[in-house]
Amino acid sequence: MQEKFKDESLPLEDRVDDLLTRMSLKEKVRQMLYYSAAVERLDIKEYNWWNECLHGVARAGTATVFPQAIGMAASFNEHLLCEVADTIADEARAKYNEAVKHDDRAIYKGLTFWTPNINIFRDPRWGRGQETYGEDPYLTGRLGVAFIKGLQGDHPQYLKAAACAKHFAVHSGPENERHEFDAKVSKKDLRETYLPAFRDAVKEGKVEAVMGAYNRVNGEPACASEELMIKILRDEWEFEGHYVSDCGAIKDIYENHQVVNSPEEAAALAINRGCDLNCGSVYANIEIALEKGLLTEETINKSVRRLLKTRFKLGMFDSEAKVPFNKIPYKVNDSNKNHKLARKVACESIVMLKNESDILPIDREKINSIAVIGPNADSRKVLVGNYSGLASKYVTLLDGIRNAVSDQTRIYYAQGCDLKTTQPSSWGNQPDSGFAEAVTIAEKSDLVIFCPGISPELEGEEGAVANSDGGGDKLELKLPGMQEKLLEALVSTGKKIITVVTNGSPVELNLISKKSTAILEAWYPGQEGGNAVADILFGVYNPSGRLPVTFVKSMADLPNFKDYSMQNRTYRFMRKKPLYPFGFGLSYTNFKYQNLSISETEIDIDYSDKIKVNVEIENVGNKSGSEIIQLYLKNTTAPKTAPKYELQGIKKVELAVSEKKIVSFDLKPRQFALIDDEGSAILHPGKYEIYIGGSQPDQYSQKLTSSNIVSKDIKITGKPKELEY
């Protein structure tokens, strides 16, 4: 008689429960380590849960490398991120299918991906900010949900791959203290800034897994937090998936946080709070915890049931023919189609910050020679960022520019300087020894393309950045090494400078902004980055990217890195004028907004329907292009501790010259609510302002973009009302 767990006609819950009853306690325990052991008698295969796909299948050989997450966020394009994630899932399945055929079940070969990172990029010093979708909770939530849905697919029974929202929660540095740091956060900031994207991932995205952070949050380890894991995640949000620790985080509970005294106590505390899977080895002490009465088998069963359920949903206990994703062939991996998508995504991610005298796009017919100069001009490392796979081809910025021009156009190249060196070497080499060559080719060229920035060698995760006193975080925002001095040397030639910055986080661009005629922010643009940059430079693609993070003028404008209060952080709370604001980006054309209308201009506090907002947008320039339409909400009578205004809608539209379109947004009453000091969502009566345009509604953003903002009031009447968070 066939075992129930093998009967594909039975409900999932029945199959999981049947398998669980057949397992011994020891067999169950061994499923709770990320390197889960095989149970041959039950046909449970060995499985390694650890895999990554931040911007492409990572660490598992050749795969398409898309722009780093912060770059994809600059697209402000939910549909694009869903398409990218769907493509990554195809490549993941293609690789997994072949690995299983060859009985390769090693690390980074599975279908459980510890992606996306939806932490809020609250401070530009954080080395892992490159992995996020920026500083705004709404944008992060929309892009996170889109990526999760693309990765997991929409099959009614099976997951294409399992996504994991990380790092839950209140986690954004400092890296060198993450294993013992206590992030102290108010109830207001917790609910207003740090939790919304996770809420969206769970309730709307139906994310399969959540990963806990290393740090403590208000005294509790994030991987053993009653407040976060039980009260909010399980009880309030009704999360049904599995919870995994960050790697080594359970060890931190007793060794660094010193909340308990032993490995078995740490394991018990985490499991009792709902951490099902240990990336690390502390759960090898579960049986000791059971013997000491710190854990019960019933609690173990809850965790193992959730883990088995994920594997069933991935089709690991069903016949090969039953699971449609088993048919995805290896040829879809690293395909030309996916390379084209990587190039498209890179184009959409690039943000034009300056274009004085409309020097861009470059007319190839009028340029005989170009000097490409800078430490990142011919660097592969700056294409990929961290957590990346291996591309079968890399197109550096220099490669892309060469590809874009004819043989009659002379391309000169000089590195000029490296990223870091400021002192002579022991052999006597001077840090500016490359300046003369750089100046020489600048003098002999029609224009200069300067390629400065930073690289994954200078920012990233703790332990991944060599010789970093910040553990991966930046200690300052200035461009490192001799790059600014190199720029000044190039400016002295009198040639116009077009600067292409590659980086994963904001850097200080004051001098570059002053001395460059045009500036492109290219992030870490992926394997096709050079071609994408060239597409922008030469007008093949009209730039449409927007900054998902604020570029401050200097580090003096930032609060203490360890302070998790949101006051004076990000566009919602900053009082000082930035160099380049969140949501900013230029185009080769101009757009006009008009005829803003709202379906309801006055509503009662108990109104529950959606409010329809329409706006007309017209391309009034002389080139077709895409616009990122941004809707912001402001409570005009809110206290000073409330956000100035908040992004609550994004749409991307493409318009031909003189074309007009009507764009619609739906607003829910919940979007008008403010978070009070107790963390409750309160809808207040009063006047609210709705702003729509291509940037933030402040005068500085409008001045930078030379674009208009349209606005209308809406009045809410009645008594204050608490809404569901």
Side-chain angles (χ1 to χ4, degrees):
M1 181 178 176
Q2 185 184 43
E3 298 99 327
K4 282 187 177 180
F5 77 87
K6 291 185 178 180
D7 187 345
E8 298 172 4
S9 67
L10 290 177
L12 173 62
E13 298 289 348
D14 292 350
R15 296 178 67 191
V16 172
D17 286 343
D18 178 68
L19 179 55
L20 193 64
T21 62
R22 298 173 186 274
M23 299 174 69
S24 69
L25 180 57
K26 186 180 289 290
E27 288 168 342
K28 294 173 190 174
V29 167
R30 295 182 71 184
Q31 298 306 303
M32 296 175 68
L33 289 158
Y34 78 97
Y35 46 93
S36 296
V39 184
E40 298 294 347
R41 67 184 184 85
L42 295 174
D43 202 27
I44 299 175
K45 305 297 184 185
E46 172 190 352
Y47 184 68
N48 196 303
W49 292 78
W50 188 348
N51 211 342
E52 308 280 358
C53 68
L54 188 63
H55 53 119
V57 179
R59 302 176 174 176
T62 303
T64 305
V65 180
F66 293 92
Q68 177 60 290
I70 193 69
M72 291 195 289
S75 74
F76 275 58
N77 189 337
E78 298 172 69
H79 302 293
L80 184 68
L81 263 76
C82 188
E83 183 181 1
V84 168
D86 180 60
T87 300
I88 291 171
D90 280 343
E91 294 200 359
R93 273 285 178 172
K95 294 171 78 68
Y96 171 80
N97 292 342
E98 293 301 319
V100 167
K101 286 178 184 177
H102 293 89
D103 200 30
D104 182 357
R105 303 179 188 276
I107 190 171
Y108 310 134
K109 301 297 176 66
L111 293 170
T112 42
F113 288 93
W114 294 347
T115 302
N117 182 341
I118 53 173
N119 291 129
I120 295 301
F121 196 1
R122 68 181 176 96
D123 193 298
R125 287 166 285 199
W126 187 34
R128 300 190 72 178
Q130 62 178 288
E131 302 174 28
T132 75
Y133 299 134
E135 70 182 38
D136 181 67
Y138 177 82
L139 178 65
T140 299
R142 300 321 312 150
L143 299 183
V145 167
F147 198 93
I148 289 162
K149 287 184 174 181
L151 199 61
Q152 296 190 164
D154 57 3
H155 193 276
Q157 184 175 353
Y158 297 110
L159 296 170
K160 188 186 288 189
C164 175
K166 67 182 187 185
H167 308 84
F168 192 62
V170 196
H171 176 78
S172 54
E175 280 294 297
N176 61 359
E177 296 183 28
R178 64 182 184 171
H179 296 287
E180 67 266 4
F181 184 69
D182 186 9
K184 295 179 180 178
V185 60
S186 69
K187 293 178 181 179
K188 178 180 183 293
D189 284 336
L190 181 67
R191 295 279 184 160
E192 190 171 62
T193 296
Y194 295 109
L195 291 186
F198 286 98
R199 175 201 61 204
D200 295 347
V202 171
K203 295 179 72 69
E204 184 181 351
K206 308 299 180 187
V207 70
E208 186 65 16
V210 170
M211 174 181 279
Y214 285 112
N215 53 276
R216 278 171 288 155
V217 179
N218 294 331
E220 288 190 301
C223 289
S225 169
E226 182 179 13
E227 178 70 19
L228 292 175
M229 298 167 67
I230 297 177
K231 293 180 180 178
I232 295 175
L233 186 62
R234 297 288 184 189
D235 294 346
E236 182 181 336
W237 297 347
E238 300 178 329
F239 175 61
E240 295 181 352
H242 69 267
Y243 196 98
V244 56
S245 76
D246 207 338
C247 299
I250 307 300
K251 183 179 179 182
D252 288 338
I253 293 175
Y254 68 91
E255 194 167 87
N256 295 311
H257 298 307
Q258 298 181 350
V259 172
V260 296
N261 298 315
S262 66
E264 61 269 23
E265 289 176 292
L269 183 63
I271 295 166
N272 284 326
R273 297 283 164 82
C275 186
D276 307 307
L277 187 68
N278 176 203
C279 182
S281 57
V282 177
Y283 279 12
N285 296 278
I286 287 176
E287 291 179 78
I288 299 173
L290 287 162
E291 290 171 4
K292 289 185 175 183
L294 303 173
L295 270 175
T296 66
E297 187 170 358
E298 181 182 2
T299 303
I300 297 297
N301 287 342
K302 287 182 182 178
S303 286
V304 178
R305 181 180 286 109
R306 288 193 282 252
L307 295 171
L308 289 174
K309 190 174 179 180
T310 296
R311 292 185 67 176
F312 270 95
K313 289 165 76 172
L314 288 165
M316 294 180 181
F317 292 94
D318 289 359
S319 59
E320 185 175 343
K322 180 83 182 300
V323 185
F325 307 123
N326 290 337
K327 300 180 179 66
I328 295 176
Y330 189 76
K331 66 181 181 181
V332 307
N333 182 59
D334 189 44
S335 65
N336 287 334
K337 176 184 176 183
N338 296 352
H339 295 174
K340 290 178 181 178
L341 178 60
R343 184 169 179 167
K344 174 186 176 185
V345 178
C347 284
E348 292 203 30
S349 74
I350 295 169
V351 184
M352 186 163 67
L353 300 177
K354 184 178 181 180
N355 191 22
E356 190 177 286
S357 305
D358 291 331
I359 189 174
L360 295 179
I362 301 166
D363 187 341
R364 279 177 272 205
E365 301 301 317
K366 296 180 180 179
I367 295 293
N368 296 313
S369 57
I370 301 172
V372 182
I373 299 168
N376 286 349
D378 198 32
S379 169
R380 287 186 174 187
K381 291 179 180 178
V382 302
L383 298 178
V384 298
N386 69 357
Y387 283 93
S388 66
L390 296 173
S392 58
K393 68 168 186 174
Y394 297 88
V395 184
T396 68
L397 307 187
L398 178 62
D399 293 334
I401 293 166
R402 280 179 176 151
N403 293 342
V405 300
S406 70
D407 293 339
Q408 281 68 51
T409 302
R410 176 68 187 268
I411 302 296
Y412 294 98
Y413 165 65
Q415 186 183 35
C417 66
D418 65 25
L419 283 178
K420 298 182 290 186
T421 305
T422 59
Q423 300 296 324
S425 72
S426 59
W427 296 96
N429 290 332
Q430 298 297 317
D432 60 355
S433 61
F435 281 25
E437 181 183 31
V439 168
T440 297
I441 66 170
E443 291 172 339
K444 298 184 181 302
S445 299
D446 295 336
L447 60 83
V448 174
I449 298 176
F450 179 49
C451 304
I454 51 179
S455 84
E457 296 175 293
L458 301 177
E459 62 174 344
E461 189 171 3
E462 181 207 38
V465 178
N467 302 318
S468 171
D469 292 333
D473 299 324
K474 302 198 299 292
L475 297 178
E476 58 181 31
L477 301 184
K478 286 184 175 293
L479 286 177
M482 304 292 288
Q483 296 181 87
E484 288 194 346
K485 291 187 180 299
L486 174 59
L487 173 60
E488 290 176 327
L490 298 176
V491 170
S492 69
T493 66
K495 297 301 174 72
K496 292 183 177 180
I497 311 293
I498 297 169
T499 298
V500 181
V501 185
T502 41
N503 50 301
S505 61
V507 290
E508 188 181 301
L509 296 178
N510 297 322
L511 184 68
I512 283 176
S513 180
K514 183 179 180 181
K515 300 293 186 179
S516 303
T517 307
I519 307 170
L520 298 182
E521 167 57 74
W523 314 106
Y524 299 138
Q527 67 177 67
E528 290 286 334
N531 284 332
V533 166
D535 286 343
I536 302 287
L537 290 172
F538 296 104
V540 176
Y541 186 88
N542 191 340
S544 60
R546 299 290 185 267
L547 292 180
V549 283
T550 301
F551 277 55
V552 298
K553 291 183 178 179
S554 79
M555 209 155 74
D557 294 341
L558 299 174
N560 188 300
F561 192 11
K562 298 179 186 179
D563 182 0
Y564 269 77
S565 167
M566 288 306 298
Q567 288 306 305
N568 296 313
R569 290 194 185 279
T570 77
Y571 79 93
R572 296 184 304 146
F573 300 101
M574 281 187 69
R575 301 300 169 187
K576 294 185 178 181
K577 189 168 82 172
L579 181 63
Y580 294 117
F582 171 90
F584 168 65
L586 298 174
S587 170
Y588 291 147
T589 191
N590 297 297
F591 301 94
K592 180 181 178 181
Y593 292 84
Q594 56 195 358
N595 300 326
L596 174 62
S597 64
I598 307 174
S599 60
E600 307 287 341
T601 57
E602 184 173 331
I603 62 171
D604 183 78
I605 206 95
D606 292 320
Y607 187 86
S608 58
D609 291 338
K610 294 176 181 178
I611 299 161
K612 180 75 72 175
V613 181
N614 291 330
V615 69
E616 182 180 271
I617 179 173
E618 180 182 4
N619 184 344
V620 295
N622 57 13
K623 289 183 173 63
S624 62
S626 296
E627 172 78 325
I628 304 295
I629 304 174
Q630 302 167 46
L631 184 153
Y632 291 86
L633 283 181
K634 177 181 178 67
N635 182 326
T636 62
T637 57
K640 288 184 178 181
T641 56
K644 291 184 292 185
Y645 41 75
E646 296 186 274
L647 182 70
Q648 290 291 349
I650 50 173
K651 291 281 180 72
K652 181 166 188 173
V653 295
E654 188 170 344
L655 295 168
V657 175
S658 300
E659 184 179 7
K660 297 179 182 179
K661 284 184 180 178
I662 303 294
V663 179
S664 297
F665 294 90
D666 289 328
L667 293 176
K668 301 175 183 177
R670 170 64 182 83
Q671 291 177 270
F672 292 83
L674 293 176
I675 304 298
D676 69 9
D677 290 341
E678 294 304 311
S680 299
I682 307 295
L683 183 58
H684 296 272
K687 189 175 76 170
Y688 294 77
E689 193 86 5
I690 297 174
Y691 305 95
I692 297 183
S695 70
Q696 287 185 55
D698 63 295
Q699 291 183 351
Y700 181 54
S701 293
Q702 293 180 66
K703 179 182 177 181
L704 286 175
T705 58
S706 300
S707 179
N708 72 309
I709 299 288
V710 290
S711 65
K712 270 192 180 299
D713 295 342
I714 181 169
K715 185 178 181 181
I716 297 178
T717 60
K719 294 182 179 180
K721 180 181 180 181
E722 182 174 354
L723 302 181
E724 180 182 356
Y725 177 75

